[in-house]
Amino acid sequence: MPRKQFIADIQAAADKKILGITSIARGDDDGEVVASFAPPTGAPIEISLLAQPDVGSYPSESMFMIFTQADLPPAATEALETVANFSAGVRLPELITTLSQKLNGALATGSREAPFSIDDDSDVPMGGVNENESSDEGADSENYAGYDSGADDFGTGAPGVSSSATYRLSEEAAKKLNRRIRHDLRAAKMAGFTVGVINGMKAESVNSLLSISIRVAKLGLSDEAIQAWDLEPQQHIVLLIRFSSGYKTFEAVISEPAKSHDIAFRVGVSNSYKPTVTEALAAFTEATKNMDKDDEKDTPSVNDKAGFSNLFISSSLNDFITHQFISLLKIRYSVGVSWDGAKQYFNDKQGKLDKGAADLPSTYYEDPSEKDTTLPTAIANDHLTDHQVRQISFPLVAAQFAMRYLVRCTDFCLVCHDKIEEDFEALKPYVCSKPLCLYQYMSLGFGPSVEHEILTQPYVVDLLVSFCYASAFNRRLREYPTGMSLSVPPVYTSVTRSVLPPMTFYHQQPVVETPPNDAQVGVDVKLDLNRQELIFEDNETCPVQVGNWIVVSVPGRPSDHYRVEDISLFPTIKLSNIPVTRASMPLPPSNPNIQSSMLTVPTPATTPPPPAIMAAKLAIYDQNFDDLDEIGKAESIVMLLDTLPTINEMRTYLLQMSRFSEPSLKTWKDRISPAALGILRWIIASNRSCLVQVDKCPGQDDIEIAMSKVRLDQRVSNVTDNWVQFRFAQGSPDKEQRFLNALRAEQANFDPQYPTIFAFHGSPLPNWHSIIRAGLDFKEVQHGRAYGHGVYHAQDQATSVGYAQANGGNWPGSILKITSAMSLNEIVNCPAQFASSSPYLVVQHIDWIQCRYLFVQVCPTDGGYPAATNNVSHISDPSVEVKQDPKRTAVSTLRTPIGVPVCAVKVSRAFRSSTQGDTPANKRRKSGFSFSGSKSPMVEVGGASEGETLSDLEFLFSEDEAPPGEESKLKGKAVESNGTPKTNPKLTDFVPGSLDQASLPMLEPPSYATPTATKTLNRNLREVLEIQKKTPLHELGWYIDQELVSNVYQWIFELHSFDASLPLAQDMKKAGVTSIVLELRFGKDYPFSPPFLRVIRPRFLPFSMGGGGHVTAGGAMCMELLTNSGWSSVSTIESVLLQVRMAIMNTEPKPARLENCSKAHQRDYGTAEAIDAFVRACRAHGWTVPPGFQEFAGSSGF
């Protein structure tokens, strides 16, 4: 038998005395083995080996998942993963021996320069390049003079980080590689990402850390998705890339085996565009808890405002990018398929490149998903397929891959990363239907934290558990937690039912559990209730182990659930002190004398009563949940949820724990069984909708409401207070975009004042567990379809109440005590196109429906239905509510129109002519898309307002940019004796000092000048002129003529020396223009308020006519940096000039072009049109116009 073989091999491995292994024992979970490994230095490490898919397949058909809770260096972690990958069919003694050997080697090496590798012989190079062929860098190997180990390059002392080293390269090789590094990073910058050099990134650097980020607001996510993913629009999604053996170009990555690269990736979220060195290293070493306190003084911790922390899917995303990205990249490069096609190829070929498969199925070459068309430009663009690119930037490809997967994460399984073939598009990511994926999802902690959800949204958790309980009780579950290897007790009696009952009271008569009869499976025991002990009489061996959960049934009382605490005194075993009794199973009537003796509790002041030893039956939690039929599964779920504490009790326990350690329900071992906790985790993790409490729940006081940050102002008004409200959103992150598209497509068919209507959808309580997971659909018929196929709605809440009838099966531990539920949906106002518009609204187009609110009827008492009440929870305020269509007004049970807050309908609000002065086509969503469906002309250039440090900006445009041989001629000779910079005709056609002052709008000093602003501007001017003197003009790219700065509140500057390949540079050459002339005007609040910046000449082609470069139709720059929303008082003028230059050079979504290329038809922009264009841009984006803007920007004489 496999199980016997498994147990025997555990003992054999323990008897083998494996070097480095101090102990081997069975774990708490079925099929788990725990080995204690003693490293050369440090504390022992407990390593768990978990048989997959179960013990029944051991050893011939099983593999092992190997993991540990300890913080290991990357090489050791990689060793665990590799041994696990080769564990198929390997028996435990050999497997643990191999594991010990690999760990000893990895930990003994202790260096990232030469990490321990065990796949040198097993890896097959991909990409069609011979393993012995060298990359471009390899061809210059003779230029490497050696390898130097130096002081710690990272300077943090973080564990697991090797001392840094540098390569000794020839001067020419170093310059060549440095130019390539800057080229690759500039490509990422110009594509819309923000680049931060954390460490290294030089030709001689062995260890380098790089960050590539994008602001959340630019990802094209709906507000609901941002909220559901626990993000903030102003935060940054950061991709960290660590090069541990020097920088790798795209060509080097392609030419070498996928597993030979010392490149690692981490994805997280930060309030800054790049984390600190300490934070970045912590992301790779997972050593945040062990950081030196001295470091914390200088560097913010991971939880601080400027820190770096994990996303909700960081574990899954990091695993995917680290293990598959480079292989997928090689497949794309070799076979010419999309990312989705490469993943399919990877799965079909087991990650190997089949050179013989010349003709691939057409499915590999299918066009990218339609969803890619809704992605923001920076992510939708595919750098690999850009035929105008001569050199591919590896960091840019990695960033586009990571961000694309993040934005579309709901389309993919979080474990196997395959595309999920389901009709429903979730707002939160989950796993596919493969049981092994669900098991790993739960085991590896990829899902949301149960503890976090209970602490932050306890009433939402209460709601989810209540929905699941009602669904299981009425046998309405569509899916079950199969694949999690839950061990549950046998089901003796049935409490569930399959038919929805007529309306009944909440406090129904409970079903009395009948103890098992002699024919049923069970072990005869004696129960000592006072001592909490079991006595076995007929067993020679103990049938349970410490940690097992059991059910003890005594005639005349409900069954009790215990955890086994001690078996050392068998045949007597010790149970947990407090039994867990099913909450829905009351104490049945019985002999009062027996009950009295059974429940006597000794106290210090009394003599313990005689032992109350009763005959009982014992059942063990040893049934595999997956093996049960659907009724058995429903019964088990109801039984396990009955044993759970209330949400308030769990929250109280976690709060107490958080004072001393990381709170975890796993530590409440004698109260919550692993099976019950597994069900709770599944309920929370499988919820793919967004639910947020916006109402006061039963038992909540005002203090708790304030501390929980419940947004009471987001409630719907004129609804009675026995309906608790939750904001409710469903669908994929771009579902809002498709709702927007539906509005746009039907714009000619509805009244512009009322583009949408509101209606209720009521459904029996057992259906809501599936609705919040699978969405509103019409797959099942419960109430008939007399009015057609579609989702049925009613605009009278009282009508929907009849369909949302109460029923049996309410979770006894609920605080809310929900009796019924319904949703309030927003629908495109085209009733003529509905399947039916009377007496019900039957909407057959799913994209026309957006869930906005969930109403749950609560019963704060046990007396039955909530008492009828006319009290409303929120009084209407028309000034902040949506104006409803008078012909189709949604009303509450009071027959009064409901009031929906404007904040709940941000998309449709732009279509309401009464609230917007401009046409919808001119509006812009936060996500960066225009309502016309095209890419927005106002998309902010990447990095234009991300608060980048000057060092990062200078890195992108630093030395070594001139052709070989020219640098030495220019070095140190950039300034003549009179201070005029030299120019080299070979490098630029710009001539400094050639502007005619008479042709410029020169201004007198302003009357509002302040000492603070004047002092700051004088210092800033000196700084930029000093930089200008030291830097060759062709490298600097901007020029300020000191002779033209007679008024420090107005600067005239020029941008020049653009890349000849840019369309703008070609237009300038045709027009005989050598520079772009711009003006900076400063206000009295500078540096706390941004300057006004505009183009004077030449005029650019407007975006509406095919232009770009972030220059508005009036000549102002469309950059958040230059508004109060994006300005920082620490921004330097040099950084502003660099970012404006990059914005104009940016070719996405369209390159900048001149309005006219004729030398005779060049015109200047006017100040007034620039001011108007700037204000329009701010309004379109939601940016804040600087205070006093008109005063310092528009006055001709200041």
Side-chain angles (χ1 to χ4, degrees):
M1 294 290 289
R3 185 176 296 275
K4 290 184 178 180
Q5 182 67 59
F6 180 76
I7 296 173
D9 281 356
I10 293 176
Q11 188 60 45
D15 296 338
K16 192 177 179 181
K17 306 297 183 183
I18 301 171
L19 180 65
I21 301 296
T22 57
S23 66
I24 299 173
R26 294 181 65 181
D28 292 337
D29 294 332
D30 187 42
E32 183 184 18
V33 180
V34 178
S36 181
F37 172 77
T41 58
I45 302 169
E46 281 199 355
I47 301 170
S48 294
L49 299 87
L50 197 59
Q52 298 179 12
D54 51 38
V55 179
S57 60
Y58 178 85
S60 59
E61 298 177 4
S62 68
M63 291 186 65
F64 282 85
M65 184 168 62
I66 304 175
F67 55 94
T68 179
Q69 298 297 323
D71 291 327
L72 298 179
T77 302
E78 185 177 351
L80 294 183
E81 295 170 350
T82 309
V83 173
N85 291 337
F86 290 92
S87 63
V90 181
R91 294 176 61 175
L92 281 170
E94 291 75 22
L95 184 66
I96 297 176
T97 300
T98 302
L99 178 63
S100 177
Q101 293 172 350
K102 302 307 181 187
L103 280 177
N104 272 307
L107 295 174
T109 303
S111 171
R112 286 296 300 166
E113 285 78 41
F116 184 78
S117 175
I118 62 176
D119 63 358
D120 295 339
D121 298 326
S122 61
D123 190 31
V124 178
M126 303 183 66
V129 181
N130 188 286
E131 199 168 357
N132 295 323
E133 291 181 2
S134 60
S135 64
D136 293 345
E137 280 68 32
D140 294 329
S141 59
E142 66 273 10
N143 294 319
Y144 286 83
Y147 175 89
D148 284 339
S149 294
D152 187 5
D153 204 20
F154 295 107
T156 65
V161 178
S162 62
S163 60
S164 79
T166 58
Y167 293 117
R168 293 198 298 270
L169 285 75
S170 68
E171 184 177 358
E172 290 301 316
K175 289 179 180 179
K176 178 182 177 182
L177 185 53
N178 279 329
R179 282 196 295 269
R180 179 57 187 274
I181 292 173
R182 286 194 294 275
H183 165 274
D184 288 354
L185 300 192
R186 278 201 302 268
K189 176 73 174 177
M190 301 310 298
F193 295 96
T194 308
V195 178
V197 176
I198 300 175
N199 178 264
M201 295 305 296
K202 297 179 182 178
E204 65 273 13
S205 301
V206 174
N207 297 294
S208 294
L209 277 172
L210 172 69
S211 74
I212 302 179
S213 64
I214 187 170
R215 192 173 290 187
V216 171
K218 298 180 183 179
L219 292 176
L221 300 173
S222 65
D223 291 340
E224 288 77 11
I226 292 175
Q227 189 173 41
W229 295 1
D230 199 20
L231 300 173
E232 296 291 341
Q234 72 274 13
Q235 291 180 315
H236 301 259
I237 303 297
V238 182
L239 170 67
L240 295 177
I241 307 178
R242 183 178 68 180
F243 299 93
S244 298
S245 296
Y247 179 77
K248 300 289 185 182
T249 65
F250 174 80
E251 295 78 15
V253 170
I254 291 297
S255 65
E256 299 176 12
K259 294 183 180 179
S260 65
H261 298 287
D262 281 336
I263 305 175
F265 306 90
R266 292 292 185 272
V267 180
V269 62
S270 175
N271 288 342
S272 173
Y273 75 96
K274 73 173 182 179
T276 64
V277 175
T278 304
E279 293 162 352
L281 287 175
F284 288 97
T285 61
E286 299 179 354
T288 40
K289 294 182 179 179
N290 301 322
M291 285 184 189
D292 250 357
K293 292 183 179 179
D294 293 338
D295 294 333
E296 294 174 0
K297 296 177 183 178
D298 301 324
T299 307
S301 69
V302 174
N303 294 321
D304 285 343
K305 185 176 180 180
F308 178 87
S309 58
N310 282 336
L311 284 161
F312 68 111
I313 62 164
S314 284
S315 298
S316 172
L317 190 52
N318 292 339
D319 177 78
F320 183 40
I321 299 177
T322 299
H323 293 99
Q324 294 190 28
F325 165 61
I326 292 180
S327 294
L328 297 179
L329 179 61
K330 287 170 169 288
I331 293 172
R332 286 204 65 190
Y333 180 77
S334 301
V335 184
V337 294
S338 65
W339 287 118
D340 292 342
K343 184 63 170 73
Q344 184 178 350
Y345 187 103
F346 181 90
N347 293 343
D348 294 344
K349 309 293 183 181
Q350 287 83 46
K352 310 298 182 181
L353 182 64
D354 185 0
K355 299 181 181 179
D359 298 325
L360 295 174
S362 59
T363 55
Y364 288 135
Y365 296 96
E366 289 180 353
D367 293 334
S369 167
E370 292 183 3
K371 290 186 178 182
D372 285 355
T373 62
T374 65
L375 295 175
T377 304
I379 303 173
N381 287 345
D382 191 346
H383 187 51
L384 285 176
T385 60
D386 188 347
H387 301 296
Q388 297 182 352
V389 174
R390 290 177 292 179
Q391 291 181 318
I392 295 176
S393 167
F394 175 72
L396 173 56
V397 174
Q400 288 179 336
F401 176 85
M403 302 305 171
R404 174 182 177 272
Y405 185 88
L406 172 65
V407 172
R408 292 185 54 202
C409 65
T410 57
D411 293 347
F412 304 100
C413 173
L414 285 176
V415 175
C416 68
H417 310 290
D418 290 343
K419 206 164 185 179
I420 297 177
E421 302 297 336
E422 291 185 6
D423 294 334
F424 173 62
E425 295 169 318
L427 192 61
K428 295 180 180 179
Y430 194 47
V431 293
C432 63
S433 57
K434 294 192 283 286
L436 184 58
C437 287
L438 177 60
Y439 178 81
Q440 292 181 333
Y441 175 75
M442 295 298 184
S443 301
L444 301 178
F446 285 164
S449 165
V450 173
E451 291 79 9
H452 175 75
E453 295 296 321
I454 291 174
L455 287 170
T456 58
Q457 294 204 87
Y459 293 95
V460 172
V461 177
D462 189 306
L463 182 75
L464 296 176
V465 176
S466 297
F467 282 166
C468 180
Y469 189 96
S471 189
F473 191 91
N474 291 277
R475 302 178 187 171
R476 297 285 300 161
L477 288 174
R478 292 185 183 179
E479 58 183 23
Y480 297 90
T482 55
M484 294 177 59
S485 295
L486 296 177
S487 294
V488 299
V491 176
Y492 294 127
T493 58
S494 176
V495 297
T496 64
R497 57 191 177 191
S498 59
V499 179
L500 290 176
M503 298 177 72
T504 57
F505 287 107
Y506 178 84
H507 189 66
Q508 64 195 25
Q509 288 298 320
V511 179
V512 177
E513 183 179 14
T514 305
N517 55 44
D518 293 338
Q520 292 175 311
V521 178
V523 179
D524 290 319
V525 293
K526 298 291 186 180
L527 172 65
D528 187 337
L529 281 171
N530 289 330
R531 299 179 182 274
Q532 304 298 339
E533 294 178 347
L534 280 184
I535 303 170
F536 292 82
E537 295 181 341
D538 301 325
N539 294 71
E540 295 182 0
T541 59
C542 184
V544 295
Q545 294 183 349
V546 173
N548 284 164
W549 274 76
I550 60 174
V551 183
V552 180
S553 302
V554 176
R557 61 177 284 118
S559 298
D560 290 327
H561 298 242
Y562 294 91
R563 183 179 185 272
V564 177
E565 298 289 342
D566 185 13
I567 62 173
S568 61
L569 300 178
F570 181 80
T572 299
I573 67 171
K574 178 66 176 174
L575 306 177
S576 49
N577 292 328
I578 302 175
V580 177
T581 304
R582 289 184 64 174
S584 66
M585 297 299 157
L587 196 66
S590 183
N591 186 321
N593 295 328
I594 294 178
Q595 293 299 323
S596 176
S597 64
M598 290 169 60
L599 299 178
T600 302
V601 180
T603 64
T606 64
T607 302
I613 300 178
M614 308 294 298
K617 286 278 188 177
L618 165 70
I620 307 172
Y621 278 51
D622 61 357
Q623 305 291 305
N624 190 337
F625 181 87
D626 299 356
D627 296 337
L628 303 177
D629 59 20
E630 289 195 356
I631 295 178
K633 290 176 181 176
E635 296 284 352
S636 292
I637 289 175
V638 170
M639 178 195 64
L640 291 171
L641 293 182
D642 276 338
T643 66
L644 280 178
T646 66
I647 300 300
N648 272 350
E649 289 172 343
M650 288 189 274
R651 188 167 185 266
T652 300
Y653 175 81
L654 294 173
L655 287 173
Q656 291 174 346
M657 274 197 67
S658 63
R659 301 174 185 174
F660 312 103
S661 61
E662 188 71 21
S664 173
L665 290 177
K666 285 185 177 181
T667 60
W668 206 358
K669 295 181 179 180
D670 59 351
R671 181 61 183 87
I672 304 177
S673 67
L677 183 57
I679 293 293
L680 180 62
R681 286 203 62 198
W682 170 73
I683 292 172
I684 295 174
S686 62
N687 170 40
R688 283 162 277 180
S689 298
C690 178
L691 290 163
V692 179
Q693 179 190 350
V694 294
D695 205 350
K696 188 174 181 178
C697 291
Q700 275 192 301
D701 55 29
D702 293 338
I703 297 177
E704 185 180 352
I705 288 287
M707 293 181 63
S708 302
K709 299 180 180 179
V710 177
R711 294 292 304 274
L712 297 178
D713 59 317
Q714 295 186 5
R715 288 177 293 180
V716 176
S717 64
N718 292 335
V719 178
T720 56
D721 57 6
N722 61 329
W723 289 93
V724 174
Q725 303 180 28
F726 295 83
R727 284 289 299 273
F728 182 33
Q730 286 188 302
S732 60
D734 68 339
K735 176 69 163 56
E736 199 78 56
Q737 177 69 29
R738 295 205 303 277
F739 182 67
L740 174 68
N741 293 340
L743 284 169
R744 186 182 65 243
E746 301 299 325
Q747 191 169 353
N749 299 324
F750 55 67
D751 186 334
Q753 292 188 59
Y754 314 110
T756 60
I757 56 178
F758 297 93
F760 298 92
H761 174 78
S763 187
L765 196 62
N767 293 345
W768 282 98
H769 175 82
S770 296
I771 289 175
I772 63 175
R773 284 157 176 79
L776 289 173
D777 57 41
F778 37 96
K779 296 177 180 178
E780 296 184 4
V781 182
Q782 284 187 261
H783 301 289
R785 290 188 183 164
Y787 299 96
H789 294 279
V791 181
Y792 279 64
H793 295 81
Q795 292 197 285
D796 187 342
Q797 185 185 12
T799 303
S800 294
V801 168
Y803 290 90
Q805 73 265 26
N807 63 90
N810 302 87
W811 182 42
S814 175
I815 303 167
L816 297 174
K817 295 182 171 62
I818 300 169
T819 60
S820 58
M822 66 177 65
S823 64
L824 177 66
N825 302 335
E826 185 180 13
I827 308 169
V828 176
N829 191 6
C830 294
Q833 300 182 46
F834 296 169
S836 176
S837 58
S838 180
Y840 308 107
L841 303 181
V842 184
V843 186
Q844 71 275 33
H845 306 297
I846 299 300
D847 283 348
W848 287 23
I849 306 171
Q850 279 293 83
C851 297
R852 297 304 184 195
Y853 286 87
L854 180 67
F855 295 167
V856 293
Q857 194 175 35
V858 299
C859 180
T861 67
D862 292 333
Y865 283 129
T869 174
N870 291 331
N871 298 325
V872 295
S873 60
H874 186 47
I875 304 299
S876 177
D877 181 1
S879 65
V880 294
E881 295 174 348
V882 179
K883 187 177 180 180
Q884 292 197 64
D885 187 344
K887 299 177 183 178
R888 296 193 175 276
T889 302
V891 297
S892 68
T893 54
L894 302 175
R895 299 296 191 271
T896 57
I898 62 172
V900 179
V902 173
C903 62
V905 293
K906 291 183 179 179
V907 172
S908 63
R909 181 176 56 178
F911 284 84
R912 300 176 187 272
S913 59
S914 60
T915 58
Q916 299 291 337
D918 297 328
T919 61
N922 292 330
K923 303 301 175 187
R924 178 187 180 273
R925 290 182 63 214
K926 280 186 178 182
S927 60
F929 298 105
S930 68
F931 288 149
S932 63
S934 62
K935 302 297 181 187
S936 169
M938 299 300 185
V939 175
E940 176 190 348
V941 64
S945 62
E946 311 301 346
E948 296 158 270
T949 61
L950 188 58
S951 60
D952 283 331
L953 294 171
E954 290 177 338
F955 183 90
L956 300 177
F957 295 95
S958 53
E959 59 186 9
D960 299 337
E961 292 302 313
E966 295 291 340
E967 300 91 346
S968 59
K969 299 177 182 178
L970 294 170
K971 204 166 187 179
K973 300 182 180 180
V975 182
E976 289 190 84
S977 57
N978 61 1
T980 302
K982 273 190 176 182
T983 59
N984 189 327
K986 295 182 180 180
L987 302 176
T988 180
D989 59 358
F990 173 69
V991 180
S994 58
L995 275 182
D996 181 8
Q997 182 172 348
S999 67
L1000 299 172
M1002 306 304 295
L1003 304 174
E1004 295 297 323
S1007 58
Y1008 59 73
T1010 63
T1012 300
T1014 303
K1015 182 178 179 180
T1016 303
L1017 286 168
N1018 275 303
R1019 184 179 69 251
N1020 290 165
L1021 182 60
R1022 288 194 301 271
E1023 290 172 350
V1024 295
L1025 291 177
E1026 189 65 26
I1027 293 171
Q1028 185 172 276
K1029 289 179 182 180
K1030 296 179 179 178
T1031 310
L1033 280 179
H1034 74 279
E1035 292 184 13
L1036 195 60
W1038 53 263
Y1039 175 72
I1040 296 177
D1041 188 346
Q1042 188 174 358
E1043 299 298 323
L1044 297 180
V1045 187
S1046 58
N1047 165 21
V1048 77
Y1049 285 82
Q1050 181 196 31
W1051 297 11
I1052 304 295
F1053 70 97
E1054 298 170 86
L1055 299 179
H1056 56 81
S1057 307
F1058 295 103
D1059 188 333
S1061 64
L1062 287 174
L1064 173 63
Q1066 297 167 9
D1067 287 356
M1068 291 173 64
K1069 191 172 184 66
K1070 293 177 184 177
V1073 176
T1074 60
S1075 69
I1076 298 170
V1077 184
L1078 301 96
E1079 176 188 18
L1080 274 169
R1081 296 188 182 187
F1082 299 90
K1084 62 180 179 180
D1085 295 322
Y1086 180 83
F1088 304 105
S1089 188
F1092 173 53
L1093 188 149
R1094 72 178 186 97
V1095 177
I1096 297 177
R1097 68 173 76 107
R1099 293 184 73 94
F1100 284 71
L1101 190 68
F1103 185 87
S1104 60
M1105 300 176 64
H1110 302 271
V1111 180
T1112 65
M1117 293 301 299
C1118 181
M1119 297 172 62
E1120 189 180 4
L1121 169 70
L1122 301 173
T1123 71
N1124 265 32
S1125 302
W1127 177 257
S1128 171
S1129 60
V1130 298
S1131 297
T1132 64
I1133 297 301
E1134 182 192 7
S1135 69
V1136 171
L1137 301 183
L1138 283 172
Q1139 293 184 72
V1140 169
R1141 174 181 168 82
M1142 285 188 289
I1144 292 179
M1145 292 170 59
N1146 188 25
T1147 58
E1148 299 296 341
K1150 297 177 182 179
R1153 305 297 299 266
L1154 294 189
E1155 181 184 60
N1156 199 309
C1157 293
S1158 171
K1159 296 181 180 180
H1161 294 86
Q1162 297 301 317
R1163 300 184 298 139
D1164 288 7
Y1165 285 105
T1167 304
E1169 63 177 322
I1171 291 173
D1172 291 343
F1174 177 77
V1175 173
R1176 285 198 306 271
C1178 289
R1179 288 176 178 170
H1181 287 266
W1183 298 335
T1184 304
V1185 176
F1189 172 73
Q1190 294 289 349
E1191 178 184 9
F1192 72 85
S1195 177
S1196 60
F1198 273 78

